[in-house]
Amino acid sequence: MATEYGQGYAHGDRPDLRGTGEADGRRRLPAGLRAPIEARTWKEFGYTLLSLPIGVMSFVFAVTMLSLGVGLLITFIGIPVLAGALAGCRGIGALERTRARGLLGLDVAAPEPLRPKGGGAMAVIGAVLKSGASWRHLLYSVLMLPWSLFSFVVTVAFWSYGWMMLTYPLWFWLFPLYGGQGGIQLYGDDGHRIYLDNPFEIGVTAATGLLITLATPWILRALTTVDRVMVQGLLGPSRLATRVVELESDRGVVVDTAAADLRRIERDLHDGAQARLVALAMDLGLAKEKLAEDPEAAARMVDEAHGEVKVALQELRDLARGIHPAVLTDRGLDAALSALAARCTVPVQVEVDLPSRPAAAIEGIAYFTVSELLQNISKHSRATQGAVDVWRSEDRLMLQVTDNGSGGADVMAGSGLTGLAERLDAVDGILVVDSPRGGPTTITAELPWRHA
């Protein structure tokens, strides 16, 4: 593997923002006080304000076109009108995904594309009408209006009243005086009017406004969370389509991995055992020619060939172990991982606590995962000890490999850990790396538990 422990954070160090006073000041402000002036808050506020007019237009378009299409279904014209309504709603969805990406920071992939069966307008119309994504876009266009109206009213009310009350000490004197008093009339009739005009009342008003102003961003975030759910759930790809894409990607990873393994086996055979056996055949041929002329030289050559045979057998044995070790098939993970640990250059403690054996495929992936991680420890970690723990947690097989080395392993560095993570992902597994610079390193792998 190519992962270099101790270099994983070289390309991922975060810049130090403490060099600027502005960034430092924002860091020192608590989150509750910083929220009203954050760019995120103003972007979400702008998103909420824009949602109402867009919601009105979307609702009018969707309801009008849907009603027209359904009403004309008694004629042939209703079908293309209904398809046009759905196509228009897909266009609204594209606009909403762009708006959510720009103002909410929500990146939602486009839904699965239309796949007309055949050519012509009727094939396209049929694909639009059969697409579940089209109907989800229509539902979003209808639901957007009532929700955007609610969020608009709540946001504008809290935002305007909060800032108005917070800044009340600056403008209360602008109101006309009445009986020597000024300020907003809180309650009362012509005979008994009460104004917010003394220092205590003005201070309480400003304090209340401050609380409302500080609470508004969090209310706004709660409202936009619903928008995020609606955009992601109704305007993105369906779970089935996402799963199909994942399976296609996993299939590609499995095929590439199998091809790489075959190339590795071919290379090992060609450069190792095959080359040694060719040389052995030549040596035995020479020994056969010298057998009559120089028996002692022939005997020495046969003896050397015997040694070459032993080395070739060991290489073939190691190659077979790399494909699938016999000890794993015969005795399971405990014995197989103990054999791996014995060959590691660092003392490794192995603890396996499994009530039964998982499926052979999962067992093999677990074995090779630990094998590659132990190779990393041997080559790059500069550790003095390591540990391997294997256990079952509900329907998952858990592996954890730790060492006290220099750390810095990074799964995002495009190294061997990246390939290992892709292999695990192909079977719905997970690889988590915790390796701060300076160590220690803890790598946890999670695999689905499937009974043998």
Side-chain angles (χ1 to χ4, degrees), residues 38 219 245 299:
E38 283 184 335
I219 296 173
V245 172

Side-chain angles (χ1 to χ4, degrees), residues 18-248:
R18 290 175 293 179
T20 62
E22 182 182 358
D24 193 26
R26 284 199 298 264
R27 280 176 175 269
R28 292 176 182 174
L29 280 176
L33 298 178
R34 194 171 63 242
I37 60 175
E38 283 184 335
R40 173 183 174 179
T41 300
W42 290 99
K43 287 182 177 181
E44 292 176 341
F45 183 61
Y47 183 90
T48 304
L49 293 183
L50 287 174
S51 292
L52 182 58
I54 295 176
V56 171
M57 291 185 292
S58 301
F59 182 86
V60 171
F61 172 81
V63 172
T64 302
M65 294 294 292
L66 181 63
S67 302
L68 184 61
V70 172
L72 293 175
L73 280 179
I74 57 176
T75 65
F76 180 77
I77 301 176
I79 296 177
V81 170
L82 190 57
L86 297 177
C89 291
R90 290 179 73 103
I92 294 173
L95 172 65
E96 286 299 287
R97 286 192 299 272
T98 302
R99 192 166 66 98
R101 186 181 303 112
L103 297 178
L104 299 182
L106 179 65
D107 192 4
V108 178
E112 55 273 18
L114 298 176
R115 293 185 174 88
K117 295 182 179 179
M122 292 306 301
V124 176
I125 291 175
V128 172
L129 293 175
K130 293 178 181 179
S131 172
S134 300
W135 293 99
R136 292 199 306 273
H137 282 65
L138 175 65
L139 179 61
Y140 177 86
S141 300
V142 173
L143 293 179
M144 186 181 177
L145 176 60
W147 173 250
S148 62
L149 179 61
F150 173 78
S151 59
F152 180 91
V153 171
V154 172
T155 300
V156 171
F158 273 86
W159 199 261
S160 57
Y161 275 103
W163 284 103
M164 181 182 68
M165 295 173 71
L166 177 61
T167 59
Y168 183 67
L170 302 178
W171 55 266
F172 78 98
W173 53 271
L174 295 175
F175 282 79
L177 298 179
Y178 179 82
Q181 297 178 351
I184 293 179
Q185 178 183 343
L186 184 61
Y187 62 89
D189 52 20
D190 292 339
H192 302 281
R193 294 183 178 181
I194 306 300
Y195 291 88
L196 299 175
D197 58 351
N198 63 62
F200 175 75
E201 293 172 345
I202 294 173
V204 170
T205 302
T208 304
L210 177 62
L211 294 177
I212 296 175
T213 302
L214 294 177
T216 300
W218 305 102
I219 296 173
L220 186 57
R221 291 182 186 183
L223 294 173
T224 53
T225 297
V226 178
D227 288 294
R228 288 183 171 91
V229 172
M230 289 176 60
V231 171
Q232 198 159 18
L234 296 178
L235 302 183
S238 64
R239 291 185 178 180
L240 178 59
T242 302
R243 185 57 179 163
V244 169
V245 172
E246 291 177 354
L247 290 176
E248 290 177 348

Side-chain angles (χ1 to χ4, degrees), residues 402-417:
T402 59
D403 68 75
N404 62 347
S406 57
D410 186 4
V411 74
M412 303 302 294
S415 60
L417 284 178

